[in-house]
Amino acid sequence: GGVYPAHPPTPMERRTTTHALLAAAVLACVSELTSGFATKTGKGKAAIRWNVPEKSTSTDGLGAGISWAMHPEFASSLVPLFKENDFNMGYTFINDESINSAIQRAMFAWANNHKYLGFFNVTDKCDAEGKGEDCSVAELYFEASDGAEEFDWEPLKVFITTGSPSKVANASGTGNLKTTADTYVNGEEITFAKVVFFTDHPVEQPDFPRGRQCYYLDETFCEPLQNAQKEYDAKLLVECVLFVVWALAMLASIKRILEYIIGYCQQGWQGLTMIARVHASHTLISYIMCLMIIFPPIFYWVAVHPCFLCFSFESLAVSAIGQVLGFQYVNAEGVDNFEATAEMGEDICEDPDKEIKQTNSFDALSVMLEPSTYDANYCLTDSDLDGLYNLYPLCEGAKAIPGCMRSKTNLGFLRVFIAFAVPFFCTSVLIFSTVVVLRRVEEKAGDDVRKRLAVNAFTTSTKNAEQRIGGRFNGIRRKSRANNVAETEAHAPATAQFQEVKV
């Protein structure tokens, strides 16, 4: 299909002095970026777009905005595929409302840059009708489905229905489509669009059964990693750092295990106790070692891995809305890109195609890049804005710099917090339990020692008492024998006389 990219050769050709200086400063930092936008085309290579109704009271096309609705199970089908819900600790971080809000922010990313673009929700009315995508009031319909294999495993697909209104004669020319500049051009009118997010994937992914797609919603943590990935292999660097930290902690752990084995072989349980006491005296080192064993794997799978494995849902939604408006991927094979050579205004709004030229480049930061787990862009660039004004020109009120209002939920950093909190809690419990057990073992050993000392002391004192008593008894016995001998000797003469008298 044909295409219409945008971006000036130099900022000075398109901006006022103030805007030119600002653009020059930006381009000085990102001089390698190129520009270009691409639009979908219909018959005769004419761009397709939404029509502005003739009657101001009509709600068709861009009248009152594009009406949209969701399939009743759209959000609930996608919720299980969000990585933020892993390690949710009993709380679901991404729910139906989160997905609905992301879709509306994607719409606002485009509507915020064009005063005649708007979207309004008619989901309740379509649910009441019960006709699904055949709802009579919806011009844009969202649904989730499997079947990605049919479309080369793309994460989403946008289906556009077009029509050819009758030609209308007008002072500004003849055409069949009324533009936002109140002029008429030839082309096909977009009458209905359906956005399908696919839930299946050809590759088996960690923590996901075969055939499951995965998304993440918050980009505050992933965006810096993906920006770095464009300059160098940030994924490999993060993996290497985490692996080195984990490996060092594991080596230290193995060293300690060997010390326990050697201690047991040499002195049995007493050796184990002695080694444990030594390790317990270095609590901080033990704490850091255990934390570094548990933290890197959890941090990688919970926080880092989704940034490179899964698609940014909101980035896909912004790109999908761009396709709904009539754009196509700027880096798709065979696509012709164009860039604007003048700033949108009353001088070119009636025929914006005269101020564009074909280019071989595309904007590397465009929201209309093909889906990739390594690229997640949420804000329109100058090229996207030029393309928007080329399809939907404005004679006045065109912005020189695209606006971007993003609502950050910081769920990425919440994943990081969980990835740290879980190892921290586990390590704290492990170290605390080990210290408590060792203290109880030491207290029991101390009690045993005190008991043995008390028994030894009692035995020693008993023996001493016995010795003292025995010594005294022996002394008495010796004294008694001595007295007996003395008495015998004293009575010996009398005894002899008695014996003589008796004789």
Side-chain angles (χ1 to χ4, degrees):
V3 182
Y4 306 75
H7 218 69
T10 64
M12 298 297 291
E13 296 178 0
R14 298 187 51 197
R15 312 297 183 199
T16 62
T17 301
T18 302
H19 292 152
L21 292 175
L22 177 61
V26 173
L27 289 176
C29 300
V30 291
S31 57
E32 296 183 357
L33 295 181
T34 54
S35 60
F37 67 87
T39 59
K40 296 178 182 292
T41 58
K43 298 177 181 179
K45 296 294 184 178
I48 62 174
R49 71 193 81 198
W50 292 87
N51 191 20
V52 177
E54 291 293 330
K55 296 181 180 180
S56 59
T57 56
S58 174
T59 58
D60 294 336
L62 297 182
I66 300 174
S67 58
W68 62 276
M70 287 183 178
H71 188 278
E73 298 180 359
F74 171 74
S76 59
S77 299
L78 296 177
V79 166
L81 307 182
F82 280 83
K83 295 295 287 184
E84 283 94 340
N85 287 334
D86 290 357
F87 290 86
N88 55 33
M89 311 297 285
Y91 177 78
T92 302
F93 296 113
I94 302 300
N95 52 31
D96 292 7
E97 184 60 32
S98 304
I99 295 177
N100 293 341
S101 298
I103 293 294
Q104 294 184 56
R105 287 196 299 270
M107 295 175 182
F108 183 75
W110 292 93
N112 183 46
N113 289 285
H114 199 294
K115 62 181 180 180
Y116 293 132
L117 282 183
F119 300 85
F120 64 97
N121 192 350
V122 294
T123 299
D124 291 340
K125 293 181 179 180
C126 288
D127 288 345
E129 288 186 9
K131 296 181 180 180
E133 64 180 89
D134 296 326
C135 173
S136 61
V137 294
E139 297 168 311
L140 170 60
Y141 196 75
F142 294 89
E143 70 176 22
S145 173
D146 55 10
E149 182 177 8
E150 183 180 353
F151 303 101
D152 297 324
W153 299 107
E154 296 182 17
L156 65 84
K157 185 70 176 179
V158 178
F159 300 90
I160 302 290
T161 302
T162 60
S164 299
S166 312
K167 289 185 177 294
V168 177
N170 179 275
S172 63
T174 301
N176 58 353
L177 288 176
K178 185 177 180 180
T179 71
T180 49
D182 201 24
T183 58
Y184 290 83
V185 296
N186 290 318
E188 292 186 59
E189 172 190 12
I190 300 175
T191 58
F192 179 77
K194 181 173 73 169
V195 178
V196 180
F197 280 84
F198 295 115
T199 59
D200 54 340
H201 192 276
V203 181
E204 184 174 4
Q205 301 167 350
D207 302 327
F208 280 81
R210 177 176 291 278
R212 298 294 298 278
Q213 187 58 268
C214 73
Y215 302 99
Y216 65 89
L217 186 58
D218 181 73
E219 77 288 352
T220 51
F221 177 77
C222 291
E223 187 174 22
L225 290 177
Q226 292 171 343
N227 290 337
Q229 184 70 24
K230 297 173 184 177
E231 300 179 6
Y232 55 89
D233 197 340
K235 180 175 181 289
L236 179 61
L237 178 61
V238 173
E239 289 174 344
C240 290
V241 171
L242 292 176
F243 177 77
V244 169
V245 172
W246 178 82
L248 291 175
M250 283 298 297
L251 289 175
S253 176
I254 293 173
K255 177 178 175 293
R256 289 198 169 188
I257 293 174
L258 292 176
E259 290 175 354
Y260 280 112
I261 294 175
I262 294 173
Y264 179 78
C265 292
Q266 292 179 346
Q267 301 182 27
W269 289 106
Q270 185 178 359
L272 288 179
T273 304
M274 292 175 61
I275 297 297
R277 289 174 182 171
V278 173
H279 291 165
S281 64
H282 301 87
T283 305
L284 181 60
I285 296 177
S286 301
Y287 191 91
I288 295 175
M289 184 187 70
C290 293
L291 186 62
M292 291 303 100
I293 290 176
I294 304 174
F295 172 71
I298 294 180
F299 174 73
Y300 179 76
W301 291 112
V302 174
V304 177
H305 197 54
C307 298
F308 300 106
L309 172 73
C310 305
F311 290 98
S312 167
F313 181 80
E314 191 164 337
S315 176
L316 290 178
V318 173
S319 175
I321 298 302
Q323 294 183 68
V324 168
L325 293 176
F327 296 98
Q328 59 180 320
Y329 298 130
V330 295
N331 59 338
E333 184 177 356
V335 169
D336 296 325
N337 285 315
F338 294 83
E339 63 179 2
T341 58
E343 186 177 358
M344 176 56 62
E346 59 182 356
D347 295 335
I348 65 171
C349 63
E350 293 185 0
D351 188 10
D353 286 350
K354 68 181 181 181
E355 293 295 343
I356 62 173
K357 67 177 183 179
Q358 190 167 352
T359 178
N360 294 324
S361 64
F362 62 87
D363 192 340
L365 298 179
S366 171
V367 297
M368 294 308 302
L369 296 176
E370 289 187 299
S372 169
T373 58
Y374 291 89
D375 281 310
N377 300 320
Y378 311 86
C379 296
L380 272 62
T381 62
D382 286 348
S383 298
D384 298 322
L385 190 66
D386 290 339
L388 182 63
Y389 290 150
N390 177 263
L391 274 184
Y392 305 98
L394 289 176
C395 294
E396 59 181 18
K399 293 185 176 182
I401 299 176
C404 181
M405 296 179 63
R406 295 166 62 183
S407 176
K408 297 185 178 182
T409 57
N410 293 318
L411 289 178
F413 288 105
L414 183 58
R415 294 204 310 272
V416 175
F417 172 77
I418 293 175
F420 179 79
V422 172
F424 178 81
F425 175 78
C426 294
T427 302
S428 299
V429 171
L430 177 62
I431 296 298
F432 177 78
S433 302
T434 303
V435 170
V436 169
V437 170
L438 287 176
R439 285 183 177 178
R440 290 186 177 181
V441 170
E442 290 181 353
E443 289 176 358
K444 184 178 180 181
D447 291 341
D448 292 340
V449 170
R450 284 190 291 271
K451 288 179 179 179
R452 286 197 299 269
L453 291 175
V455 170
N456 292 337
F458 176 76
T459 303
T460 302
S461 62
T462 302
K463 288 182 179 179
N464 292 336
E466 289 178 350
Q467 291 175 357
R468 288 195 299 270
I469 295 172
R472 291 178 182 177
F473 180 75
N474 291 334
I476 293 172
R477 290 177 62 186
R478 285 194 299 269
K479 186 176 181 180
S480 177
R481 284 197 298 268
N483 291 337
N484 291 335
V485 171
E487 290 179 358
T488 302
E489 291 178 352
H491 290 86
T495 303
Q497 292 178 3
F498 176 77
Q499 292 292 336
E500 291 178 358
V501 172
K502 185 177 179 180
V503 174

